[in-house]
Amino acid sequence: GAGVSQSPSNKVTEKGKDVELRCDPISGHTALYWYRQSLGQGLEFLIYFQGNSAPDKSGLPSDRFSAERTGGSVSTLTIQRTQQEDSAVYLCASTTPGQGNSPLHFGNGTRLTVT
Amino acid sequence: RKEVEQDPGPFNVPEGATVAFNCTYSNSASQSFFWYRQDCRKEPKLLMSVYSSGNEDGRFTAQLNRASQYISLLIRDSKLSDSATYLCVVNGDSSYKLIFGSGTRLLVRP
């Protein structure tokens, strides 16, 4: 079946512009995650959705970052007034949480470059 | 102390070697444990879940030591295609918050 889809795959933007990143999770997956990975670094947890709700937004780096999810499906991550330090790969993952271990299924990511 | 810590490596081993990685975690209440594999400039992919009693999948064996708060991954008969970064994943202060280690890089040489 279809996996997690992210768009755009690459985004180059000028410092100060706003960007919107999109994630289409696997159908039926109620949980959706956003992570950020800078070059040569590990994955940094940003936010988690269960349905349309985000119980924990503490991972968002600053108030320039926001995310929403509608209809329990598509999610968008918005970065306002982008800075060069926002350059990274933004990864979305989905899963169906339940009893025991529920692995994450990742999209291919959006590579954001802020010039 | 980081929530999830891994030796960054790289581990450089010949084909056919056995290699093991450890990962330590700080939250004694953690319940979910995984190993992911990430190839260069690709997204992470699940390698295997880690169960309390330990589990094996072909050449890969995962173990959990709750008392010492670490998980391990053993790779037998290494292949060139095993070259990648191996990421340890543990749930954090809530069941949904999955924390990734920074990864251990493995290089398998001919």
Side-chain angles (χ1 to χ4, degrees):
Chain A
V4 177
S5 177
Q6 290 188 247
S7 61
S9 54
N10 282 284
K11 177 71 177 179
V12 180
T13 190
E14 291 181 356
K15 178 181 171 181
K17 300 284 190 183
D18 298 352
V19 294
E20 192 172 278
L21 313 180
R22 176 187 169 105
C23 173
D24 275 283
I26 292 173
S27 178
H29 280 190
T30 56
L32 185 148
Y33 294 73
W34 284 99
Y35 287 87
R36 176 169 75 172
Q37 187 172 32
S38 300
L39 188 63
Q41 302 298 311
L43 274 71
E44 176 188 2
F45 172 86
L46 298 180
I47 192 169
Y48 158 85
F49 287 92
Q50 176 56 39
N52 293 335
S53 300
D56 183 356
K57 299 181 180 179
S58 63
L60 295 175
S62 75
D63 58 9
R64 296 186 294 105
F65 287 72
S66 62
E68 65 174 16
R69 188 179 185 195
T70 55
S73 182
V74 172
S75 176
T76 53
L77 177 68
T78 301
I79 309 172
Q80 296 178 308
R81 306 181 302 283
T82 51
Q83 303 295 312
Q84 288 185 329
E85 62 262 28
D86 299 334
S87 297
V89 176
Y90 289 81
L91 290 160
C92 175
S94 70
T95 188
T96 301
Q99 296 300 319
N101 294 330
S102 301
L104 300 177
H105 300 266
F106 282 88
N108 293 332
T110 294
R111 186 173 301 276
L112 175 66
T113 304
V114 182
T115 61
Chain B
R1 182 184 173 188
K2 287 185 180 179
E3 291 182 90
V4 180
E5 290 199 74
Q6 296 183 251
D7 180 344
F11 285 65
N12 192 323
V13 303
E15 271 188 291
T18 295
V19 62
F21 313 132
N22 279 349
C23 164
T24 58
Y25 59 95
S26 62
N27 188 343
S28 60
S30 293
Q31 294 292 327
S32 298
F33 309 91
F34 306 92
W35 283 102
Y36 279 72
R37 169 192 170 130
Q38 187 173 28
D39 293 290
C40 189
R41 299 175 75 87
K42 298 285 190 181
E43 74 280 11
K45 292 186 178 177
L46 178 68
L47 178 65
M48 58 196 301
S49 301
V50 185
Y51 299 112
S52 297
S53 56
N55 48 297
E56 187 174 304
D57 182 2
R59 297 181 294 108
F60 299 86
T61 300
Q63 296 279 353
L64 168 64
N65 185 318
R66 286 191 185 275
S68 299
Q69 293 181 209
Y70 74 85
I71 65 173
S72 64
L73 177 67
L74 180 79
I75 306 174
R76 291 181 298 277
D77 188 23
S78 299
K79 311 291 184 190
L80 295 176
S81 56
D82 293 335
S83 296
T85 297
Y86 290 83
L87 303 168
C88 168
V89 184
V90 179
N91 75 286
D93 53 9
S94 59
S95 60
Y96 62 79
K97 192 171 182 179
L98 295 176
I99 307 298
F100 282 72
S102 54
T104 297
R105 191 168 171 214
L106 172 65
L107 300 172
V108 181
R109 63 181 187 271

